Amino acid sequence: MATSLQEPNAAPESPPAEQEIPEYIIPPHGYNSPSSIAEELKNLADANASVSLIEIGKTADGNPLRIAEFSGANSDDSSAGWPAILVVANLEGDRLVASEVAMSLCRHLADGEAAILQRARVFVMPVANPDAATRAFAGSIPWRGAPTDDDRDGRIDEDGPFDLDGDGHLLWMRVPHPNGTFLIDEQDERVSREADSSDAEAGVFELLREGSDLDGDRQRLEDGPGGVAVEANFPHRWQQYAPEAGRFQLSEAESRALVDFVLMHPSITLAVVLDDEDNLAKPASGGDRTDKDSTEPLKDDAALLKLLGKRFYDNEDIEEPRGAEHGSGNFADWLYFQRGILVLESAVWSAPLDVKAAEEEDTGAEDAPAEESKPARDLTDEHKLMTWADVWYRGTAFQDWQVFEHEEFGAVEVGGWMPLVLNNPPAELLPVLSDNFNSFIDSLTTDLPQLRWSVEVTALDDSGVFEARAYLVCDGLLPTMTAMGRATRLQMPIRVGLELPSGGELLVGRSISSVERLVGLGDSSEFHWIYRIPAGADAAQIRATSKTAGEALTALEVK
């Protein structure tokens, strides 16, 4: 599918009811393919001195894993502790919108003039799972990795979903079964709902992916294509023996490469993960402690997520997305719980649930009295999504159920949601999502921890003896080390050193000391020295160095 590298024209994300809604085309129309993104990223690096590409590995399919590094005029790789922000997008593979938003950030940062680059370096990985993303873009299941024998029958990938009816889409089947758990909904026959046993209901069919028992073992779709899910292969809460989790932690090229990159860049102060989970729209309240199975942050860090989440979604054109259930073995959890790095997770976009059908609009006429009948069930999210799809996509987002004669099951129905539509908006909405994200990243400029000195120096006599009292202050919202970083004991403290000229002598105090962390918003730590320097020598100076907050250097001069 040919796609343009230019972003579409902006449009409001949730059009008012009275506005005529354009007939959108379902994704991936208007999106850039993973290969197009890779090409554009290379072109940005070739055309801009502030952009460099770092290849951190290769996938099972041979696709390069690339991270773009962006720096401003003031950044210096040799400068100790120049802070960095890491943005990683689309680890699941089917979140094309995440890749588009991350790629828009790359365009925004490319000339080196963005506000955030005057304070930090930014690393961006627009496509963290290129093999799966390539398949998702083509309309297939977003699988990746070497084939595996999921059912342990000695054969590999022999029994997975496939396009039964040859319509070019891999959808779903309603398979009649006496022990089925689903019913056809009485309000919308397209909706498959679970039977409610408390209301004396019994299910009549199972809901399965298109396919059949290809290997004749009376199990269905149990050994599909590909192997391990990248977002289940990281160490925190890794699930041993789960087929999608891998033979061991970090067994996959994508997960191992990302972990190695983070370990080699201790200046990463903040990470942003754009994928299916979200900790900003409804941030957790936090806990007092964590353990190996924790999913909630510590309270101090949760407070930061709440503040930043409110800012991220404080846009009338942006609706808070509905994040996926908290998964095991994911990248964000490893970053936070095992490295102590504050992580902002955003699902970027969810299909709106408040769109009204045309006949539901208020006409001003009084409703006719309803006949006595059994009360209708409350509308579920699935019903609301059907209304949204009908209004926005005019029936192209959901394929109506069609009878198909299955060689094993007999008459089944094939249909369901088209690939990508539930997790990715129409391309016309990408600019407003991208602009919001770019503005948010720039707004972090004043939030990053920044060190400065407040000093008072007194000459104690005429022989060159001085007393210095100094406060090391941390400006910005973010701390030099998160509460989780302190708990893991893996992040480096702030190093503070008194530097005397040749012939100088320290009389009171320590020449080298450290501060575990400063929490930001003016938090400070006090230091005291008495020292002697020879007449005519340069003034002493003090230097504070932090991996995550940069460096503060000042001369100790009598004022």
Side-chain angles (χ1 to χ4, degrees):
M1 180 183 297
T3 57
S4 169
L5 296 183
Q6 300 297 317
E7 295 184 349
N9 293 326
E13 181 176 357
S14 189
E18 65 272 11
Q19 177 179 330
E20 182 178 351
I21 299 174
E23 185 171 352
Y24 294 126
I25 301 176
I26 63 174
H29 173 80
Y31 280 73
N32 293 305
S33 68
S35 60
S36 297
I37 289 175
E39 180 182 357
E40 184 180 4
L41 206 59
K42 183 178 182 301
N43 292 338
L44 285 178
D46 291 342
N48 298 275
S50 61
V51 186
S52 59
L53 283 185
I54 305 170
E55 185 169 317
I56 63 173
K58 286 188 180 294
T59 69
D61 288 357
N63 289 311
L65 297 166
R66 292 193 177 117
I67 293 178
E69 178 182 358
F70 299 87
S71 56
N74 296 328
S75 68
D76 180 358
D77 289 346
S78 65
S79 175
W82 184 262
I85 295 173
L86 172 65
V87 179
V88 175
N90 199 9
L91 284 151
E92 293 288 347
D94 60 353
R95 300 282 169 156
L96 305 186
V97 61
S99 291
E100 291 286 353
V101 168
M103 194 61 221
S104 175
L105 177 64
C106 292
R107 301 182 193 107
H108 174 66
L109 300 175
D111 63 3
E113 298 299 322
I116 191 64
L117 297 180
Q118 312 316 307
R119 181 70 191 94
R121 285 182 293 158
V122 180
F123 299 108
V124 184
M125 191 176 194
V127 186
N129 191 349
D131 291 357
T134 298
R135 293 183 174 92
F137 189 85
S140 181
I141 292 176
W143 63 270
R144 45 81 46 214
T148 56
D149 182 12
D150 292 335
D151 56 354
R152 307 195 178 200
D153 63 355
R155 290 174 288 182
I156 295 176
D157 289 3
E158 82 287 353
D159 197 4
F162 66 93
D163 180 16
L164 277 173
D165 54 5
D167 66 353
H169 304 298
L170 186 57
L171 303 177
W172 296 86
M173 300 186 299
R174 285 172 168 174
V175 180
H177 195 282
N179 294 324
T181 57
F182 287 91
L183 292 169
I184 295 176
D185 186 80
E186 59 272 15
Q187 299 181 71
D188 189 332
E189 63 180 13
R190 296 172 298 177
V191 174
S192 303
R193 66 172 179 84
E194 290 192 71
D196 184 359
S197 59
S198 67
D199 199 21
E201 291 182 339
V204 296
F205 63 86
E206 293 178 315
L207 197 61
L208 304 174
R209 278 286 192 180
E210 275 190 86
S212 61
D213 181 16
L214 294 177
D215 57 1
D217 63 358
R218 298 189 179 182
Q219 299 183 60
R220 301 172 187 90
L221 315 178
E222 80 284 356
D223 196 356
V228 178
V230 173
E231 270 287 81
N233 191 233
F234 291 91
H236 189 69
R237 299 177 65 240
W238 177 76
Q239 300 296 299
Q240 191 173 18
Y241 304 125
E244 72 279 2
R247 291 183 298 126
F248 52 86
Q249 301 168 15
L250 306 181
S251 61
E252 307 308 295
E254 295 90 339
S255 56
R256 179 58 183 268
L258 268 173
V259 165
D260 285 346
F261 180 83
V262 171
L263 295 179
M264 289 188 294
H265 294 81
S267 63
I268 295 174
T269 307
L270 181 73
V272 183
V273 176
L274 305 176
D275 204 43
D276 62 336
E277 295 186 20
D278 194 297
N279 66 0
L280 297 176
K282 293 178 174 59
S285 57
D288 295 321
R289 58 183 298 274
T290 61
D291 57 32
K292 63 182 180 64
D293 294 318
S294 292
T295 59
E296 281 204 10
L298 294 173
K299 286 183 177 178
D300 287 353
D301 298 332
L304 295 172
L305 293 176
K306 183 177 181 179
L307 288 170
L308 294 172
K310 182 178 180 181
R311 186 195 308 168
F312 189 94
Y313 293 122
D314 187 21
N315 184 326
E316 62 182 11
D317 292 328
I318 302 294
E319 293 186 8
E320 294 180 354
R322 301 178 297 280
E325 292 294 324
H326 202 115
S328 298
N330 65 52
F331 179 54
D333 279 357
W334 175 80
L335 280 172
Y336 178 73
F337 290 104
Q338 298 198 16
R339 295 305 303 172
I341 297 171
L342 189 66
V343 185
L344 314 181
E345 295 181 88
S346 174
V348 186
W349 178 87
S350 295
L353 300 176
D354 58 354
V355 175
K356 293 184 178 180
E359 61 270 18
E360 294 180 24
E361 301 299 333
D362 186 6
T363 61
E366 294 185 6
D367 295 334
E371 296 182 5
E372 288 290 333
S373 62
K374 184 178 179 179
R377 295 175 181 272
D378 292 338
L379 292 180
T380 65
D381 286 356
E382 185 80 358
H383 289 97
K384 297 172 184 177
L385 288 172
M386 289 293 182
T387 300
W388 157 76
D390 290 341
V391 173
W392 281 33
Y393 290 119
R394 310 298 200 271
T396 60
F398 189 95
Q399 183 167 298
D400 290 342
W401 299 100
Q402 301 292 329
V403 176
F404 179 81
E405 194 64 29
H406 195 286
E407 61 179 11
E408 179 184 358
F409 301 127
V412 302
E413 290 183 332
V414 176
W417 290 103
M418 296 293 284
L420 302 176
V421 295
L422 293 179
N423 298 325
N424 301 277
E428 289 85 351
L429 308 188
L430 293 175
V432 69
L433 295 169
S434 298
D435 290 347
N436 182 69
F437 184 63
N438 296 344
S439 297
F440 174 77
I441 292 296
D442 275 338
S443 78
L444 296 173
T445 304
T446 55
D447 295 324
L448 294 172
Q450 186 164 10
L451 302 177
R452 62 179 172 86
W453 285 107
S454 177
V455 301
E456 180 181 344
V457 182
T458 304
L460 297 183
D461 58 26
D462 296 333
S463 65
V465 177
F466 297 89
E467 179 181 29
R469 292 188 180 276
Y471 290 89
L472 180 61
V473 182
C474 179
D475 293 322
L477 172 68
L478 301 179
T480 59
M481 179 191 296
T482 63
M484 193 66 224
R486 180 172 57 183
T488 63
R489 302 179 67 85
L490 290 175
Q491 293 189 354
M492 298 296 292
I494 304 167
R495 183 183 187 275
V496 176
L498 172 67
E499 301 174 0
L500 297 174
S502 178
E505 179 185 6
L506 178 61
L507 303 176
V508 176
R510 301 178 60 180
S511 60
I512 300 293
S513 56
S514 65
V515 179
E516 182 182 42
R517 73 173 192 144
L518 296 173
V519 298
L521 296 177
D523 188 24
S524 64
S525 183
E526 182 181 2
F527 296 86
H528 176 236
W529 297 277
I530 297 177
Y531 55 92
R532 178 186 291 114
I533 58 176
D538 292 335
Q541 58 184 17
I542 47 176
R543 185 189 306 267
T545 304
S546 167
K547 292 288 186 183
T548 59
E551 182 179 87
L553 174 67
T554 190
L556 296 177
E557 297 178 335
V558 178
K559 295 183 180 179

